[in-house]
Amino acid sequence: MAQAFRPPATQRLYDVCVIGSQLGGVVAGALLARRGFRVLHVAHDDPGFHYVDHGYVLPFGPAVIPSPRHLPSAEAVLTELGLASDVGRALAPSEPDLQLLLPRHRVDLPRETAQLRGELRREWPKELDPLEAGFTTLSTLFDFAGFFLRAAPPLPPEGLMEKLAVRKALKTAASMPGAPAQRADEARPFDGLEDHELVRSLTVAHRFLTYLDGPASPLSLVRLLGGALRGTNRFPGGLGTLRELVRRRIAESRGELRGGPGEPAMATAFDLDGKKVDAVRLSDSPDAHVARAFVIATDASRFLGLLPPELRETRATAPLRQVKATRQLASVNLVVKQTALPPALGENVLALRDAAAGDGLDNAVFLQILPARRDPKKGEKGAGETVADERVVCASGFIPAGAGEKELAAAATAIREAVADAIPFFERHLVAESPVFVAADGGGASAAHPLYQAGDDDGLGVSGLPVRSAWKNLFFAGREVIPGLGVEGEFYAGIQAAAHVAQLLGRKDVLKK
Protein backbone atom coordinates (compact mmCIF):
# COMPACT_ATOMS: atom_id res chain seq x y z
CA MET A 1 0.00 0.00 0.00
CA ALA A 2 1.47 3.36 -1.04
CA GLN A 3 2.26 5.73 1.80
CA ALA A 4 1.75 9.48 1.65
CA PHE A 5 4.98 11.35 1.08
CA ARG A 6 6.18 13.34 4.11
CA PRO A 7 8.90 15.88 3.46
CA PRO A 8 11.87 15.57 5.80
CA ALA A 9 11.95 17.88 8.79
CA THR A 10 14.22 20.89 8.38
CA GLN A 11 15.23 23.85 10.49
CA ARG A 12 13.86 27.31 9.85
CA LEU A 13 16.10 29.98 11.34
CA TYR A 14 15.02 33.32 12.85
CA ASP A 15 16.35 35.94 15.21
CA VAL A 16 13.10 36.12 17.19
CA CYS A 17 10.01 33.95 17.39
CA VAL A 18 6.83 35.42 18.94
CA ILE A 19 4.25 32.88 20.11
CA GLY A 20 0.73 34.16 20.74
CA SER A 21 -1.42 37.03 19.48
CA GLN A 22 -1.94 39.14 22.57
CA LEU A 23 -1.18 42.79 21.91
CA GLY A 24 2.14 42.91 23.78
CA GLY A 25 3.54 40.10 21.65
CA VAL A 26 2.79 41.69 18.30
CA VAL A 27 4.11 45.01 19.65
CA ALA A 28 7.41 43.34 20.57
CA GLY A 29 7.57 41.56 17.22
CA ALA A 30 6.87 44.69 15.19
CA LEU A 31 9.43 46.79 17.08
CA LEU A 32 12.11 44.13 16.66
CA ALA A 33 11.32 43.59 12.97
CA ARG A 34 11.62 47.33 12.42
CA ARG A 35 15.10 47.18 13.95
CA GLY A 36 16.19 44.66 11.34
CA PHE A 37 15.76 41.40 13.24
CA ARG A 38 14.22 38.48 11.38
CA VAL A 39 10.96 37.83 13.22
CA LEU A 40 8.50 34.94 13.02
CA HIS A 41 5.08 35.53 14.51
CA VAL A 42 2.96 32.47 15.29
CA ALA A 43 -0.71 33.35 15.81
CA HIS A 44 -1.03 30.61 18.40
CA ASP A 45 -4.36 31.71 19.91
CA ASP A 46 -5.65 34.47 17.63
CA PRO A 47 -9.45 34.63 18.00
CA GLY A 48 -9.91 37.08 15.13
CA PHE A 49 -11.94 40.26 15.19
CA HIS A 50 -15.44 38.91 15.75
CA TYR A 51 -17.75 35.95 15.33
CA VAL A 52 -20.80 35.53 13.15
CA ASP A 53 -24.25 34.51 14.36
CA HIS A 54 -27.66 34.87 12.70
CA GLY A 55 -25.86 36.51 9.77
CA TYR A 56 -24.49 39.38 11.92
CA VAL A 57 -20.88 40.28 12.70
CA LEU A 58 -20.73 40.32 16.51
CA PRO A 59 -17.99 41.34 18.99
CA PHE A 60 -16.41 38.98 21.51
CA GLY A 61 -17.03 41.56 24.21
CA PRO A 62 -16.98 45.30 24.83
CA ALA A 63 -13.82 47.15 23.81
CA VAL A 64 -13.43 50.49 25.60
CA ILE A 65 -10.27 52.02 24.19
CA PRO A 66 -8.68 55.19 25.60
CA SER A 67 -6.95 57.60 23.26
CA PRO A 68 -3.39 56.34 22.57
CA ARG A 69 -2.05 59.88 22.76
CA HIS A 70 -2.78 59.84 26.50
CA LEU A 71 -0.86 56.58 27.01
CA PRO A 72 2.93 57.10 26.72
CA SER A 73 3.72 53.50 25.76
CA ALA A 74 0.96 53.29 23.15
CA GLU A 75 1.87 56.66 21.66
CA ALA A 76 5.55 55.71 21.44
CA VAL A 77 4.85 52.37 19.76
CA LEU A 78 2.32 53.66 17.22
CA THR A 79 4.56 56.59 16.34
CA GLU A 80 7.60 54.34 15.88
CA LEU A 81 5.59 51.98 13.66
CA GLY A 82 4.04 54.81 11.63
CA LEU A 83 0.52 53.87 12.77
CA ALA A 84 -0.44 56.89 14.89
CA SER A 85 -2.41 58.60 12.12
CA ASP A 86 -4.09 55.38 10.93
CA VAL A 87 -5.22 54.47 14.43
CA GLY A 88 -6.33 58.03 15.17
CA ARG A 89 -8.53 58.08 12.06
CA ALA A 90 -10.03 54.67 12.81
CA LEU A 91 -11.00 55.44 16.40
CA ALA A 92 -14.62 56.57 16.84
CA PRO A 93 -15.20 58.67 20.00
CA SER A 94 -17.88 57.31 22.33
CA GLU A 95 -20.78 59.53 23.34
CA PRO A 96 -20.64 59.99 26.27
CA ASP A 97 -17.33 58.47 27.31
CA LEU A 98 -19.03 56.54 30.11
CA GLN A 99 -22.56 56.39 31.47
CA LEU A 100 -23.63 55.03 34.87
CA LEU A 101 -27.13 53.67 35.38
CA LEU A 102 -28.05 53.42 39.07
CA PRO A 103 -31.46 52.75 40.64
CA ARG A 104 -31.99 56.46 41.33
CA HIS A 105 -29.47 58.11 39.03
CA ARG A 106 -28.38 58.26 35.41
CA VAL A 107 -25.16 60.17 35.02
CA ASP A 108 -23.03 60.80 31.95
CA LEU A 109 -19.28 61.18 32.48
CA PRO A 110 -18.03 63.20 29.49
CA ARG A 111 -14.49 64.43 28.92
CA GLU A 112 -15.55 68.09 28.88
CA THR A 113 -15.24 69.65 32.35
CA ALA A 114 -18.26 71.95 32.01
CA GLN A 115 -20.54 69.11 30.93
CA LEU A 116 -19.29 66.90 33.75
CA ARG A 117 -20.00 69.63 36.27
CA GLY A 118 -23.54 69.94 34.93
CA GLU A 119 -24.11 66.19 35.34
CA LEU A 120 -22.81 66.23 38.91
CA ARG A 121 -24.92 69.26 39.80
CA ARG A 122 -28.06 67.60 38.45
CA GLU A 123 -27.59 64.26 40.24
CA TRP A 124 -25.73 65.18 43.45
CA PRO A 125 -26.09 68.95 44.03
CA LYS A 126 -25.14 68.78 47.71
CA GLU A 127 -21.87 66.95 47.01
CA LEU A 128 -21.02 68.89 43.84
CA ASP A 129 -17.87 70.62 45.11
CA PRO A 130 -16.10 67.62 46.70
CA LEU A 131 -17.00 65.36 43.75
CA GLU A 132 -15.76 67.90 41.22
CA ALA A 133 -12.55 68.30 43.24
CA GLY A 134 -12.13 64.53 43.14
CA PHE A 135 -12.36 64.46 39.35
CA THR A 136 -9.85 67.32 39.12
CA THR A 137 -7.45 65.41 41.38
CA LEU A 138 -7.95 62.27 39.29
CA SER A 139 -6.97 64.17 36.14
CA THR A 140 -3.86 65.60 37.81
CA LEU A 141 -2.80 62.23 39.17
CA PHE A 142 -3.33 60.67 35.74
CA ASP A 143 -0.85 63.13 34.24
CA PHE A 144 1.81 62.59 36.88
CA ALA A 145 1.40 58.81 36.76
CA GLY A 146 2.06 59.23 33.04
CA PHE A 147 5.35 60.99 33.84
CA PHE A 148 6.27 57.98 35.98
CA LEU A 149 5.57 55.57 33.10
CA ARG A 150 7.47 57.75 30.61
CA ALA A 151 10.59 57.09 32.69
CA ALA A 152 10.21 53.42 31.64
CA PRO A 153 10.69 51.77 35.04
CA PRO A 154 10.95 47.94 34.89
CA LEU A 155 7.56 46.37 35.66
CA PRO A 156 7.39 44.14 37.54
CA PRO A 157 10.79 44.94 39.09
CA GLU A 158 13.07 42.00 39.75
CA GLY A 159 15.91 42.40 42.23
CA LEU A 160 17.17 45.36 44.21
CA MET A 161 18.43 47.48 41.31
CA GLU A 162 15.14 47.34 39.43
CA LYS A 163 13.15 48.16 42.56
CA LEU A 164 15.42 51.16 43.09
CA ALA A 165 14.74 52.22 39.49
CA VAL A 166 10.99 52.14 40.17
CA ARG A 167 11.41 54.23 43.31
CA LYS A 168 13.56 56.71 41.42
CA ALA A 169 10.92 57.07 38.69
CA LEU A 170 8.21 57.64 41.30
CA LYS A 171 10.34 60.22 43.11
CA THR A 172 11.14 62.02 39.86
CA ALA A 173 7.46 62.25 38.90
CA ALA A 174 6.56 63.47 42.40
CA SER A 175 9.21 66.23 42.27
CA MET A 176 7.98 67.80 39.03
CA PRO A 177 6.39 71.27 39.15
CA GLY A 178 2.71 71.11 40.09
CA ALA A 179 2.92 67.55 41.38
CA PRO A 180 0.24 66.57 43.92
CA ALA A 181 1.18 66.08 47.57
CA GLN A 182 0.89 62.30 47.33
CA ARG A 183 2.62 60.08 44.79
CA ALA A 184 0.60 58.46 42.02
CA ASP A 185 1.06 55.01 43.56
CA GLU A 186 -0.36 56.17 46.90
CA ALA A 187 -2.94 58.89 46.23
CA ARG A 188 -6.65 58.26 46.03
CA PRO A 189 -8.42 61.08 44.18
CA PHE A 190 -11.74 60.67 45.99
CA ASP A 191 -10.25 60.55 49.49
CA GLY A 192 -13.05 60.74 52.04
CA LEU A 193 -15.70 59.96 49.42
CA GLU A 194 -15.03 56.23 49.13
CA ASP A 195 -18.57 55.35 50.27
CA HIS A 196 -20.31 57.73 47.87
CA GLU A 197 -22.36 55.82 45.31
CA LEU A 198 -20.68 57.59 42.38
CA VAL A 199 -17.20 56.70 43.62
CA ARG A 200 -18.24 53.10 44.31
CA SER A 201 -19.69 52.93 40.80
CA LEU A 202 -16.42 54.17 39.29
CA THR A 203 -14.54 51.46 41.17
CA VAL A 204 -16.84 48.87 39.60
CA ALA A 205 -16.35 50.44 36.16
CA HIS A 206 -12.60 50.09 36.64
CA ARG A 207 -12.98 46.30 36.70
CA PHE A 208 -14.10 46.30 33.06
CA LEU A 209 -10.91 48.16 32.05
CA THR A 210 -8.34 46.01 33.88
CA TYR A 211 -7.16 42.40 33.66
CA LEU A 212 -6.40 42.18 37.38
CA ASP A 213 -8.80 40.82 40.00
CA GLY A 214 -8.83 41.73 43.69
CA PRO A 215 -8.68 45.16 45.37
CA ALA A 216 -7.74 47.91 42.92
CA SER A 217 -4.48 49.74 43.61
CA PRO A 218 -4.26 53.56 43.46
CA LEU A 219 -2.04 53.47 40.34
CA SER A 220 -4.43 51.16 38.50
CA LEU A 221 -7.47 53.28 39.40
CA VAL A 222 -5.74 56.50 38.41
CA ARG A 223 -4.45 55.28 35.04
CA LEU A 224 -7.54 53.37 33.91
CA LEU A 225 -10.27 55.69 35.16
CA GLY A 226 -8.25 58.79 34.34
CA GLY A 227 -7.62 57.51 30.83
CA ALA A 228 -11.30 56.65 30.30
CA LEU A 229 -12.36 60.12 31.44
CA ARG A 230 -9.95 61.72 28.96
CA GLY A 231 -12.01 60.04 26.27
CA THR A 232 -13.08 56.53 25.28
CA ASN A 233 -13.29 55.24 21.75
CA ARG A 234 -14.64 52.40 19.64
CA PHE A 235 -12.43 50.62 17.16
CA PRO A 236 -14.01 48.73 14.24
CA GLY A 237 -13.36 45.10 15.10
CA GLY A 238 -12.30 46.02 18.65
CA LEU A 239 -8.80 45.28 19.93
CA GLY A 240 -8.45 42.56 17.28
CA THR A 241 -8.19 45.21 14.58
CA LEU A 242 -5.54 47.10 16.54
CA ARG A 243 -3.54 43.89 17.04
CA GLU A 244 -3.69 43.11 13.34
CA LEU A 245 -2.57 46.62 12.32
CA VAL A 246 0.52 46.22 14.50
CA ARG A 247 1.06 42.60 13.41
CA ARG A 248 1.15 43.53 9.73
CA ARG A 249 4.15 45.71 10.43
CA ILE A 250 6.10 42.50 11.11
CA ALA A 251 5.50 41.28 7.55
CA GLU A 252 6.16 44.74 6.12
CA SER A 253 9.59 44.65 7.79
CA ARG A 254 10.37 41.30 6.12
CA GLY A 255 9.18 39.20 9.02
CA GLU A 256 7.13 36.03 8.61
CA LEU A 257 3.56 35.44 9.76
CA ARG A 258 2.09 32.02 10.50
CA GLY A 259 -1.67 31.89 10.98
CA GLY A 260 -3.84 34.95 11.35
CA PRO A 261 -7.06 36.37 12.76
CA GLY A 262 -9.45 33.51 13.41
CA GLU A 263 -7.06 31.03 11.78
CA PRO A 264 -4.42 30.33 14.44
CA ALA A 265 -1.21 28.42 13.75
CA MET A 266 -0.92 26.22 16.81
CA ALA A 267 2.39 25.72 18.59
CA THR A 268 2.68 22.17 19.96
CA ALA A 269 5.98 22.03 21.86
CA PHE A 270 9.28 23.74 22.61
CA ASP A 271 12.71 22.18 22.17
CA LEU A 272 14.78 23.03 25.24
CA ASP A 273 18.50 22.78 25.89
CA GLY A 274 19.09 23.35 29.61
CA LYS A 275 18.54 27.07 30.33
CA LYS A 276 17.89 27.90 26.70
CA VAL A 277 15.03 27.44 24.25
CA ASP A 278 16.17 26.14 20.88
CA ALA A 279 13.02 25.86 18.76
CA VAL A 280 9.25 25.73 18.65
CA ARG A 281 7.20 23.08 16.86
CA LEU A 282 3.97 23.86 14.99
CA SER A 283 1.04 21.55 14.34
CA ASP A 284 0.99 22.21 10.59
CA SER A 285 4.71 21.74 9.96
CA PRO A 286 7.32 19.02 10.53
CA ASP A 287 10.01 21.69 10.77
CA ALA A 288 11.77 22.99 13.85
CA HIS A 289 11.45 26.77 13.99
CA VAL A 290 14.76 27.79 15.53
CA ALA A 291 15.34 31.26 16.98
CA ARG A 292 17.91 33.09 19.04
CA ALA A 293 15.16 34.54 21.26
CA PHE A 294 11.51 33.82 21.99
CA VAL A 295 8.65 36.07 23.14
CA ILE A 296 5.54 34.52 24.68
CA ALA A 297 2.23 36.36 24.32
CA THR A 298 -0.28 33.72 25.33
CA ASP A 299 -1.65 32.90 28.79
CA ALA A 300 0.79 31.31 31.22
CA SER A 301 -1.41 28.24 31.60
CA ARG A 302 -1.31 27.67 27.83
CA PHE A 303 2.44 28.12 27.68
CA LEU A 304 2.84 25.56 30.48
CA GLY A 305 1.03 23.03 28.31
CA LEU A 306 3.71 23.40 25.62
CA LEU A 307 6.52 22.47 27.98
CA PRO A 308 7.68 18.91 28.71
CA PRO A 309 5.48 17.40 31.48
CA GLU A 310 8.44 16.94 33.82
CA LEU A 311 9.03 20.72 33.88
CA ARG A 312 5.49 21.87 34.64
CA GLU A 313 5.78 21.53 38.43
CA THR A 314 9.38 22.66 38.87
CA ARG A 315 10.91 25.80 40.30
CA ALA A 316 11.51 27.14 36.79
CA THR A 317 7.77 27.32 36.13
CA ALA A 318 6.68 28.54 39.60
CA PRO A 319 5.98 32.14 38.41
CA LEU A 320 3.72 30.74 35.67
CA ARG A 321 1.64 28.80 38.20
CA GLN A 322 1.22 31.83 40.46
CA VAL A 323 -0.72 33.83 37.86
CA LYS A 324 -4.19 32.38 37.46
CA ALA A 325 -7.41 33.50 35.81
CA THR A 326 -10.08 33.75 38.51
CA ARG A 327 -12.91 35.26 36.46
CA GLN A 328 -13.78 35.84 32.82
CA LEU A 329 -16.12 38.11 30.93
CA ALA A 330 -19.29 36.51 29.58
CA SER A 331 -21.13 38.40 26.84
CA VAL A 332 -24.50 38.22 25.12
CA ASN A 333 -25.04 40.11 21.86
CA LEU A 334 -28.55 41.36 21.11
CA VAL A 335 -29.46 42.85 17.75
CA VAL A 336 -32.35 45.27 18.24
CA LYS A 337 -34.13 47.92 16.26
CA GLN A 338 -32.74 51.37 16.98
CA THR A 339 -36.18 52.48 18.14
CA ALA A 340 -35.80 50.15 21.14
CA LEU A 341 -33.01 52.27 22.62
CA PRO A 342 -33.97 55.05 25.04
CA PRO A 343 -32.86 58.43 23.61
CA ALA A 344 -30.65 59.15 26.64
CA LEU A 345 -28.84 55.79 26.58
CA GLY A 346 -25.09 56.15 26.09
CA GLU A 347 -22.71 53.99 24.03
CA ASN A 348 -20.72 52.71 27.05
CA VAL A 349 -23.07 51.97 29.94
CA LEU A 350 -22.42 50.41 33.34
CA ALA A 351 -25.74 49.21 34.77
CA LEU A 352 -25.71 48.65 38.54
CA ARG A 353 -28.44 47.41 40.82
CA ASP A 354 -26.58 48.68 43.88
CA ALA A 355 -23.42 50.81 43.82
CA ALA A 356 -22.24 49.17 47.04
CA ALA A 357 -22.81 45.56 45.93
CA GLY A 358 -19.59 45.02 43.96
CA ASP A 359 -18.72 43.93 40.43
CA GLY A 360 -20.30 40.47 40.30
CA LEU A 361 -22.68 39.57 37.49
CA ASP A 362 -25.67 39.66 39.85
CA ASN A 363 -25.06 43.40 40.27
CA ALA A 364 -22.94 44.83 37.44
CA VAL A 365 -23.40 44.50 33.67
CA PHE A 366 -21.57 46.56 31.07
CA LEU A 367 -23.43 47.46 27.86
CA GLN A 368 -21.79 48.71 24.69
CA ILE A 369 -24.02 49.92 21.85
CA LEU A 370 -22.53 49.30 18.41
CA PRO A 371 -23.59 49.58 14.76
CA ALA A 372 -25.19 46.39 13.41
CA ARG A 373 -23.29 44.82 10.51
CA ARG A 374 -24.29 41.94 8.31
CA ASP A 375 -21.78 39.22 7.52
CA PRO A 376 -20.25 39.78 4.06
CA LYS A 377 -21.26 37.29 1.42
CA LYS A 378 -18.72 34.73 0.28
CA GLY A 379 -16.11 36.26 -1.95
CA GLU A 380 -16.77 39.78 -0.65
CA LYS A 381 -14.19 41.71 1.35
CA GLY A 382 -14.74 44.18 4.16
CA ALA A 383 -16.64 44.29 7.43
CA GLY A 384 -20.08 43.87 5.91
CA GLU A 385 -22.98 46.16 5.29
CA THR A 386 -24.18 48.36 8.16
CA VAL A 387 -27.88 48.06 8.91
CA ALA A 388 -29.02 51.64 9.44
CA ASP A 389 -32.02 51.03 11.71
CA GLU A 390 -30.46 48.30 13.90
CA ARG A 391 -27.94 48.24 16.72
CA VAL A 392 -25.95 45.56 18.55
CA VAL A 393 -26.19 45.63 22.32
CA CYS A 394 -23.10 43.83 23.63
CA ALA A 395 -23.91 43.10 27.29
CA SER A 396 -21.27 41.58 29.57
CA GLY A 397 -20.54 40.59 33.14
CA PHE A 398 -17.92 38.59 35.04
CA ILE A 399 -18.34 34.91 35.90
CA PRO A 400 -15.93 32.41 37.53
CA ALA A 401 -13.18 31.10 35.26
CA GLY A 402 -14.00 27.67 33.90
CA ALA A 403 -17.75 28.06 34.44
CA GLY A 404 -19.84 25.15 33.20
CA GLU A 405 -23.04 25.03 31.16
CA LYS A 406 -25.33 25.74 34.14
CA GLU A 407 -23.29 28.80 35.15
CA LEU A 408 -23.30 30.04 31.56
CA ALA A 409 -27.07 29.63 31.29
CA ALA A 410 -27.54 31.51 34.56
CA ALA A 411 -25.18 34.23 33.31
CA ALA A 412 -27.20 34.64 30.11
CA THR A 413 -30.39 35.06 32.16
CA ALA A 414 -28.78 37.62 34.49
CA ILE A 415 -27.38 39.60 31.57
CA ARG A 416 -30.76 39.60 29.82
CA GLU A 417 -32.44 40.89 32.98
CA ALA A 418 -29.93 43.72 33.24
CA VAL A 419 -30.55 44.66 29.61
CA ALA A 420 -34.30 44.70 30.29
CA ASP A 421 -33.70 47.17 33.14
CA ALA A 422 -31.66 49.46 30.92
CA ILE A 423 -33.76 49.02 27.76
CA PRO A 424 -37.37 48.34 28.80
CA PHE A 425 -39.38 46.13 26.43
CA PHE A 426 -36.37 45.47 24.22
CA GLU A 427 -37.85 42.03 23.43
CA ARG A 428 -40.48 43.70 21.26
CA HIS A 429 -37.72 45.04 19.02
CA LEU A 430 -35.37 42.05 19.16
CA VAL A 431 -34.00 40.97 15.77
CA ALA A 432 -31.44 38.35 16.85
CA GLU A 433 -29.80 37.08 20.01
CA SER A 434 -26.49 35.21 20.35
CA PRO A 435 -25.75 32.55 22.96
CA VAL A 436 -23.59 33.61 25.88
CA PHE A 437 -19.98 33.98 24.72
CA VAL A 438 -16.77 33.50 26.73
CA ALA A 439 -14.01 32.46 24.29
CA ALA A 440 -13.67 31.74 20.61
CA ASP A 441 -14.64 28.18 19.74
CA GLY A 442 -11.90 26.00 18.32
CA GLY A 443 -8.30 26.96 17.81
CA GLY A 444 -7.60 27.05 21.53
CA ALA A 445 -8.29 30.78 21.96
CA SER A 446 -8.29 32.06 25.53
CA ALA A 447 -11.05 34.06 27.22
CA ALA A 448 -11.84 37.39 25.58
CA HIS A 449 -11.35 39.31 28.85
CA PRO A 450 -10.03 37.33 31.84
CA LEU A 451 -9.27 38.66 35.30
CA TYR A 452 -6.06 37.35 36.83
CA GLN A 453 -4.92 36.99 40.39
CA ALA A 454 -1.20 37.50 40.78
CA GLY A 455 1.27 37.52 43.65
CA ASP A 456 2.30 41.15 43.13
CA ASP A 457 5.26 42.28 45.19
CA ASP A 458 6.18 45.43 43.25
CA GLY A 459 4.32 47.68 45.67
CA LEU A 460 2.33 49.22 42.81
CA GLY A 461 -0.49 46.70 42.61
CA VAL A 462 -0.45 46.42 38.80
CA SER A 463 2.06 43.66 37.96
CA GLY A 464 1.94 39.92 37.57
CA LEU A 465 4.21 37.66 35.52
CA PRO A 466 7.91 38.65 35.29
CA VAL A 467 9.16 39.63 31.83
CA ARG A 468 12.22 37.39 32.16
CA SER A 469 11.82 33.63 32.40
CA ALA A 470 13.94 30.78 33.74
CA TRP A 471 15.28 30.37 30.17
CA LYS A 472 17.76 33.09 29.28
CA ASN A 473 16.41 33.66 25.77
CA LEU A 474 12.66 33.55 26.50
CA PHE A 475 10.59 36.58 27.60
CA PHE A 476 6.94 37.26 28.37
CA ALA A 477 4.87 40.05 26.80
CA GLY A 478 1.27 38.96 27.43
CA ARG A 479 -1.46 40.74 29.37
CA GLU A 480 -0.45 38.84 32.54
CA VAL A 481 2.78 40.89 32.85
CA ILE A 482 1.10 44.19 33.83
CA PRO A 483 -2.59 43.25 34.06
CA GLY A 484 -3.45 46.16 36.33
CA LEU A 485 -2.90 48.70 33.55
CA GLY A 486 -5.18 47.08 30.97
CA VAL A 487 -4.44 47.94 27.34
CA GLU A 488 -1.71 50.38 28.39
CA GLY A 489 -0.01 47.53 30.25
CA GLU A 490 -0.03 45.39 27.10
CA PHE A 491 1.84 48.07 25.13
CA TYR A 492 4.27 48.52 28.02
CA ALA A 493 4.93 44.78 28.31
CA GLY A 494 5.64 44.59 24.57
CA ILE A 495 8.19 47.40 24.76
CA GLN A 496 9.93 45.75 27.71
CA ALA A 497 10.11 42.33 26.05
CA ALA A 498 11.49 43.88 22.85
CA ALA A 499 14.15 45.74 24.86
CA HIS A 500 15.27 42.53 26.60
CA VAL A 501 15.50 40.69 23.28
CA ALA A 502 17.41 43.53 21.62
CA GLN A 503 19.89 43.61 24.49
CA LEU A 504 20.35 39.84 24.32
CA LEU A 505 20.97 39.99 20.57
CA GLY A 506 23.32 42.95 20.73
CA ARG A 507 21.12 46.02 20.33
CA LYS A 508 20.06 48.49 23.02
CA ASP A 509 17.31 50.63 21.52
CA VAL A 510 13.91 49.49 20.27
CA LEU A 511 12.29 52.92 20.25
CA LYS A 512 13.66 56.04 18.62
CA LYS A 513 14.74 58.68 21.09
Side-chain angles (χ1 to χ4, degrees):
M1 179 177 178
Q3 294 184 350
F5 173 74
R6 277 178 165 262
T10 59
Q11 288 189 346
R12 294 177 178 268
L13 305 178
Y14 306 90
D15 293 314
V16 188
C17 181
V18 180
I19 307 295
S21 292
Q22 292 178 18
L23 181 58
V26 294
V27 163
L31 291 175
L32 291 165
R34 193 168 180 83
R35 283 292 174 266
F37 294 107
R38 183 171 181 194
V39 176
L40 167 68
H41 178 257
V42 179
H44 176 65
D45 52 4
D46 195 325
F49 309 139
H50 52 248
Y51 67 101
V52 175
D53 192 29
H54 292 87
Y56 288 89
V57 175
L58 301 174
F60 296 128
V64 181
I65 304 173
S67 173
R69 64 190 178 89
H70 296 308
L71 310 179
S73 54
E75 182 181 39
V77 167
L78 296 177
T79 300
E80 168 72 7
L81 298 178
L83 289 172
S85 297
D86 292 343
V87 170
R89 285 193 296 267
L91 288 173
S94 301
E95 184 62 39
D97 296 302
L98 180 64
Q99 183 179 80
L100 302 175
L101 289 184
L102 303 169
R104 293 183 298 169
H105 300 277
R106 178 193 58 78
V107 58
D108 294 347
L109 299 176
R111 66 194 77 180
E112 292 82 5
T113 303
Q115 293 181 21
L116 176 61
R117 179 179 176 83
E119 290 289 312
L120 298 177
R121 180 189 292 116
R122 188 190 74 235
E123 298 298 327
W124 294 284
K126 294 182 180 179
E127 297 98 347
L128 171 62
D129 290 340
L131 286 173
E132 187 175 27
F135 280 100
T136 301
T137 302
L138 174 62
S139 180
T140 301
L141 288 169
F142 175 78
D143 288 333
F144 282 89
F147 294 142
F148 161 67
L149 294 173
R150 283 184 195 278
L155 298 177
E158 297 181 70
L160 177 61
M161 297 307 295
E162 290 193 356
K163 290 180 179 179
L164 289 175
V166 170
R167 291 178 195 171
K168 181 180 178 181
L170 285 168
K171 194 176 290 188
T172 300
S175 64
M176 297 188 71
Q182 287 184 293
R183 295 187 329 197
D185 64 319
E186 299 172 339
R188 294 191 178 271
F190 297 98
D191 191 28
L193 293 170
E194 289 86 357
D195 292 332
H196 192 281
E197 59 185 329
L198 174 57
V199 178
R200 286 184 179 273
S201 301
L202 288 172
T203 303
V204 175
H206 162 269
R207 190 67 70 198
F208 290 86
L209 304 173
T210 183
Y211 297 121
L212 193 60
D213 214 346
S217 72
L219 180 60
S220 182
L221 286 167
V222 163
R223 288 305 294 175
L224 296 183
L225 290 178
L229 295 174
R230 288 291 175 90
T232 61
N233 303 274
R234 290 185 291 102
F235 208 76
L239 283 175
T241 302
L242 179 58
R243 287 194 303 268
E244 184 61 15
L245 281 174
V246 175
R247 182 174 176 266
R248 286 175 188 166
R249 286 295 195 251
I250 298 174
E252 291 166 7
S253 298
R254 298 198 211 175
E256 184 178 335
L257 306 179
R258 296 294 296 270
E263 298 178 350
M266 301 302 294
T268 57
F270 285 94
D271 293 347
L272 307 178
D273 180 11
K275 292 292 185 180
K276 182 173 173 288
V277 180
D278 280 342
V280 63
R281 304 279 178 169
L282 307 183
S283 61
D284 62 351
S285 171
D287 300 338
H289 295 76
V290 179
R292 298 161 65 196
F294 293 81
V295 175
I296 303 301
T298 187
D299 283 358
S301 59
R302 294 176 178 274
F303 172 65
L304 271 173
L306 301 177
L307 296 176
E310 63 271 18
L311 290 180
R312 296 174 191 173
E313 297 293 331
T314 63
R315 184 177 178 183
T317 57
L320 298 167
R321 300 193 303 274
Q322 290 173 0
V323 180
K324 297 181 179 179
T326 54
R327 291 191 284 171
Q328 56 196 0
L329 200 66
S331 300
V332 172
N333 284 296
L334 305 163
V335 182
V336 299
K337 291 293 184 180
Q338 186 173 0
T339 53
L341 304 179
L345 190 69
E347 294 180 356
N348 295 320
V349 183
L350 177 62
L352 295 171
R353 290 204 167 100
D354 182 350
D359 55 24
L361 179 56
D362 57 342
N363 183 62
V365 171
F366 195 94
L367 285 71
Q368 189 167 55
I369 313 301
L370 302 165
R373 295 183 183 276
R374 302 292 300 185
D375 181 34
K377 296 178 181 178
K378 288 185 177 180
E380 293 182 359
K381 295 183 179 180
E385 180 184 354
T386 300
V387 185
D389 63 340
E390 295 177 357
R391 294 291 182 271
V392 172
V393 179
C394 181
S396 308
F398 288 106
I399 61 174
E405 291 186 10
K406 289 184 178 179
E407 291 91 345
L408 291 176
T413 300
I415 290 172
R416 226 174 178 276
E417 290 173 353
V419 173
D421 291 340
I423 309 174
F425 311 113
F426 79 89
E427 296 94 339
R428 299 178 183 177
H429 308 274
L430 185 64
V431 178
E433 178 177 354
S434 75
V436 64
F437 180 91
V438 174
D441 294 330
S446 57
H449 188 137
L451 293 178
Y452 303 105
Q453 202 150 37
D456 175 32
D457 61 355
D458 66 355
L460 301 174
V462 298
S463 302
L465 190 65
V467 179
R468 289 186 287 264
S469 75
W471 298 273
K472 64 181 182 180
N473 66 335
L474 186 143
F475 306 93
F476 295 104
R479 54 195 174 193
E480 292 161 301
V481 175
I482 316 175
L485 293 184
V487 173
E488 182 175 25
E490 294 191 80
F491 276 103
Y492 201 99
I495 293 173
Q496 289 191 131
H500 282 294
V501 170
Q503 186 176 30
L504 177 72
L505 302 185
R507 301 267 185 90
K508 290 186 177 180
D509 62 317
V510 292
L511 288 173
K512 291 181 179 178
K513 304 296 184 185

